Amino acid sequence: GAGVSQSPRYKVAKRGQDVALRCDPISGHVSLFWYQQALGQGPEFLTYFQNEAQLDKSGLPSDRFFAERPEGSVSTLKIQRTQQEDSAVYLCASSQAITNEQFFGPGTRLTVL
Amino acid sequence: GESVGLHLPTLSVQEGDNSIINCAYSNSASDYFIWYKQESGKGPQFIIDIRSNMDKRQGQRVTVLLNKTVKHLSLQIAATQPGDSAVYFCAENKYGSTLGRLYFGRGTQLTVWP
């Protein structure tokens, strides 16, 4: 069966450009999470959705980061005016419910030049 | 502050040996822990979990031990194979806190030599 998919897998952006990262969760999964993973570090929480509702965005590092999940399925993480410090792997995870196992996608590696 | 961290950044073992990967946490209120395996270019993959009302849990070739007294978690891999080479993370999920968000440690790079 299909797991969590993310696109693009790799993105190179010039500093100041806007980027949009897509996550397709496992069908039927209610919960969706975004994490940021810097090189050599563990993933760090960015934001959480339950269906279409964004219930926690406390991990978003600045107001340049915005996430949405308008129909409770696909989610998009948008980063405006990218900076070099935004370079990282962005991971999406989904689960059937809050307390269930989180399944991770392969991530999008963002490089900001 | 709250943190989940690892004692060793790297671990090298011979194929067939047992591996032990350690993790420390600082929040005594933490009640759920998960071990993940992450291969290069892939997302974290669930290995095994344990709740705070247990001190040991076994899976296929893996065992997780939880010592709440010293706030220590370990992952034991029996008969380590080259396919086990990856970065291993412990993660913490605190029920009653922010809706299932995971707190990850830095990770241990496990290398298995043939």
Side-chain angles (χ1 to χ4, degrees), chain B residues 48-49 54 56-65 76:
Chain B
I48 192 168
D49 59 1
M54 304 171 67
K56 180 179 180 178
R57 191 163 187 223
Q58 289 184 294
Q60 186 177 11
R61 283 202 304 118
V62 295
T63 301
V64 55
L65 300 177
Q76 300 178 359

Side-chain angles (χ1 to χ4, degrees), chain A residues 9 33 35 37 40-43 45 48 55-56 58-59 91 98-99 101-102 104-107, chain B residues 32 36 38 41-46 51 89 93 95 98-107:
Chain A
R9 290 295 315 279
F33 302 81
Y35 294 86
Q37 186 174 24
Q41 304 292 322
F45 172 84
Y48 161 72
L55 300 185
D56 186 352
S58 63
L91 294 163
I98 295 170
T99 57
E101 174 186 345
Q102 293 183 26
F104 282 82
Chain B
Y32 181 53
Y36 281 91
Q38 187 173 28
K42 297 183 179 180
Q45 178 186 1
F46 175 93
R51 300 189 186 280
F89 294 97
N93 180 318
Y95 285 99
T98 316
L99 302 170
R101 64 186 284 181
L102 295 174
Y103 297 83
F104 284 82
R106 185 178 173 186

Side-chain angles (χ1 to χ4, degrees), chain A residues 56-95:
Chain A
D56 186 352
K57 55 182 180 179
S58 63
L60 296 177
S62 77
D63 58 8
R64 297 186 294 103
F65 286 70
F66 171 78
E68 60 183 4
R69 193 186 185 196
E71 297 179 358
S73 178
V74 172
S75 178
T76 303
L77 176 66
K78 298 179 180 178
I79 308 173
Q80 296 177 323
R81 304 180 302 283
T82 52
Q83 304 295 315
Q84 285 187 325
E85 61 263 28
D86 299 334
S87 296
V89 174
Y90 291 86
L91 294 163
C92 175
S94 71
S95 64

Side-chain angles (χ1 to χ4, degrees), chain A residues 1 19 38-39 80:
Chain A
V19 298
L39 188 64
Q80 296 177 323

Side-chain angles (χ1 to χ4, degrees), chain B residues 6-11 20-22 107-109:
Chain B
L6 299 183
H7 293 305
L8 295 173
T10 62
L11 177 66
I20 299 176
I21 301 172
N22 296 306
T108 293
Q109 172 72 58

